[in-house]
């Protein structure tokens, strides 16, 4: 039986909304895959989160008049949240008023349906694995390369969510304990080497696009920066491939927009760093859904949250 869900992706500049129709909570054959029905965008604004609730609810009302009703809504947020209370906690790209704001319940009240929160990179992962670049695949690793490195993993058809949605931080694998400091407080994470700002710093350029263009034109410093990023990123992806044997690794975000200039050397480097895995067993591919992925994934999560099980694991924390 099909059901429709609303997804909202809260960003620093805009909130994107999507309505998705899906028939189940597992990867299905092409005829059963979720369908994107509509998307729209509303400015996030610089005010308090209560105003964002009102703006999103007003925009959703128009969207749902044409494409509803929906059974539930999912909201992708750019950071950490407490699933038990529905409060947003650490959202580095949003004003300080979001820290501790009980975002879920007022929005659920205005929309009139249950709301589930999800980290935006996990929402991207779910969207790409259900109807994007890894549609139909059972085990998938996703990375978004932007100002940070986010992502997530789908294992045997299920998004690995973890308590408060914090599992799947693929960008915070330590690949060099003596490496540069990372925003998470650790050193030498994939993010500290492979995010856009790190690559720009190495190359002395303003944007990842400028770095790749300069490398293509033969600039030695830019070429070295791209090689360094590819090498570090490949170690992180090779670790994930070796542990999980995914069918696909999906790479999206601003840095991934470089296309084959990134992907061709990356595929070679991952294969070299993952000798236990048959290179024919997996593909490394660009993301397919573009900027709507977060809202699509949040909508899918609204439908899948109930099936994902309890917030904490069955054996509980060790004492
Ligand atoms: Zn880190």
């Amino acid at each position: 039986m099909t059901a429709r869900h609303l997804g909202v992706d809260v960003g620093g500049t805009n909130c994107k909304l999507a309505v998705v129709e899906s028939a189940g909570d597992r990867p299905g054959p092409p005829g059963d895959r979720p369908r994107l029905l509509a998307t729209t965008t509303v400015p996030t604004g610089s005010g308090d989160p209560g105003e964002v609730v009102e703006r999103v609810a007003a925009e959703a009302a128009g969207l749902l008049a044409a494409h509803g009703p929906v059974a539930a809504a999912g909201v992708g947020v750019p950071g950490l949240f407490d699933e038990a209370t529905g409060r947003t906690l650490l959202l580095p790209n949003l004003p300080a008023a979001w820290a501790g704001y009980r975002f879920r319940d007022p929005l659920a009240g205005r929309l009139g349906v249950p709301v589930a929160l999800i980290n935006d990179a996990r929402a991207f992962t779910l969207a790409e694995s259900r109807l994007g670049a890894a549609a139909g695949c059972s085990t998938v690793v996703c990375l978004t390369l932007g100002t940070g490195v986010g992502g997530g993993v789908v294992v045997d058809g299920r998004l690995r969510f973890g308590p408060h949605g914090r599992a799947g931080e693929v960008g915070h694998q330590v690949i060099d304990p003596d490496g540069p400091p990372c925003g998470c407080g650790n050193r030498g994470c994939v993010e500290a080497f492979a995010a856009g700002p790190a690559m720009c710093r190495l190359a002395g350029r303003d944007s990842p696009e400028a770095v790749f263009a300069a490398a293509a034109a033969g600039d030695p410093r830019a070429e070295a920066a791209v090689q360094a990023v590819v090498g570090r990123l490949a170690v992180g992806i090779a670790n994930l491939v070796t542990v999980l044997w995914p069918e696909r690794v999906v790479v999206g975000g601003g840095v991934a927009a470089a296309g084959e200039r990134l992907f061709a050397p990356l595929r070679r480097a991952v294969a070299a760093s993952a000798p236990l895995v048959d290179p024919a067993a997996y593909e490394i591919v660009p993301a397919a859904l573009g900027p709507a992925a977060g809202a699509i994934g949040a909508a899918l999560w609204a439908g899948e949250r109930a099936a994902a099980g309890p917030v904490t694991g069955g054996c509980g924390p060790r004492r």
Side-chain angles (χ1 to χ4, degrees), residues 56 60 62 71 79 117 126-127 147-148 172-173 229 232 276 280 289 295 309:
V56 166
L117 298 179
L126 192 55
T147 51
H172 295 286
Q173 303 171 70
V229 166
R232 300 295 192 171
L276 297 181
L289 295 175

Side-chain angles (χ1 to χ4, degrees), residues 171-172 182 184 186 189:
H172 295 286
C182 180
C184 71
N186 215 334
C189 296

Side-chain angles (χ1 to χ4, degrees), residues 174-288:
V174 176
I175 53 173
D176 179 357
D178 299 318
C182 180
C184 71
N186 215 334
R187 299 189 80 90
C189 296
V190 170
E191 176 170 302
F193 291 106
M199 186 168 65
C200 291
R201 218 167 24 247
L202 278 179
R205 303 277 169 168
D206 292 336
S207 69
E209 293 77 15
V211 178
F212 281 104
D219 178 83
R221 187 174 170 190
E223 282 179 342
V226 170
Q227 273 181 19
V229 166
V230 165
R232 300 295 192 171
L233 188 59
V235 172
I237 293 176
N239 290 342
L240 295 161
V241 164
T242 302
V243 172
L244 296 170
W245 276 69
E247 294 130 274
R248 270 185 213 153
V249 177
V250 178
V251 184
V255 176
E260 285 304 299
R261 284 184 208 155
L262 172 72
F263 281 88
L266 185 61
R267 290 183 186 111
R268 286 194 295 272
V270 172
S273 297
L276 297 181
V277 184
D278 178 356
Y282 65 94
E283 292 177 280
I284 301 175
V285 298

Side-chain angles (χ1 to χ4, degrees), residues 52-259:
V52 176
V53 168
E54 292 304 316
R55 266 197 297 281
V56 166
E59 188 73 16
L63 194 63
L64 297 182
H67 301 283
V70 293
V75 178
V77 294
L80 303 180
F81 58 90
D82 183 308
E83 199 180 38
T85 63
R87 291 180 195 276
T88 50
L89 300 176
L90 179 66
L91 307 180
N93 295 324
L94 290 172
W98 284 83
Y101 180 69
R102 198 184 278 268
F103 185 64
R104 182 183 60 198
D105 295 345
L107 187 62
R110 292 285 279 107
L111 295 173
V113 294
V115 169
L117 298 179
I118 183 170
N119 170 274
D120 58 357
R122 248 68 84 201
F124 160 84
T125 299
L126 192 55
E128 290 290 346
S129 73
R130 291 284 186 264
L131 71 162
C137 295
S138 167
T139 295
V140 179
V141 169
C142 290
L143 300 98
T144 57
L145 311 179
T147 51
V149 176
V153 296
V154 170
V155 179
D156 296 337
R158 289 262 188 245
L159 178 72
R160 176 63 192 146
F161 192 69
H164 308 291
R166 294 189 198 173
E169 288 289 355
V170 295
H172 295 286
Q173 303 171 70
V174 176
I175 53 173
D176 179 357
D178 299 318
C182 180
C184 71
N186 215 334
R187 299 189 80 90
C189 296
V190 170
E191 176 170 302
F193 291 106
M199 186 168 65
C200 291
R201 218 167 24 247
L202 278 179
R205 303 277 169 168
D206 292 336
S207 69
E209 293 77 15
V211 178
F212 281 104
D219 178 83
R221 187 174 170 190
E223 282 179 342
V226 170
Q227 273 181 19
V229 166
V230 165
R232 300 295 192 171
L233 188 59
V235 172
I237 293 176
N239 290 342
L240 295 161
V241 164
T242 302
V243 172
L244 296 170
W245 276 69
E247 294 130 274
R248 270 185 213 153
V249 177
V250 178
V251 184
V255 176

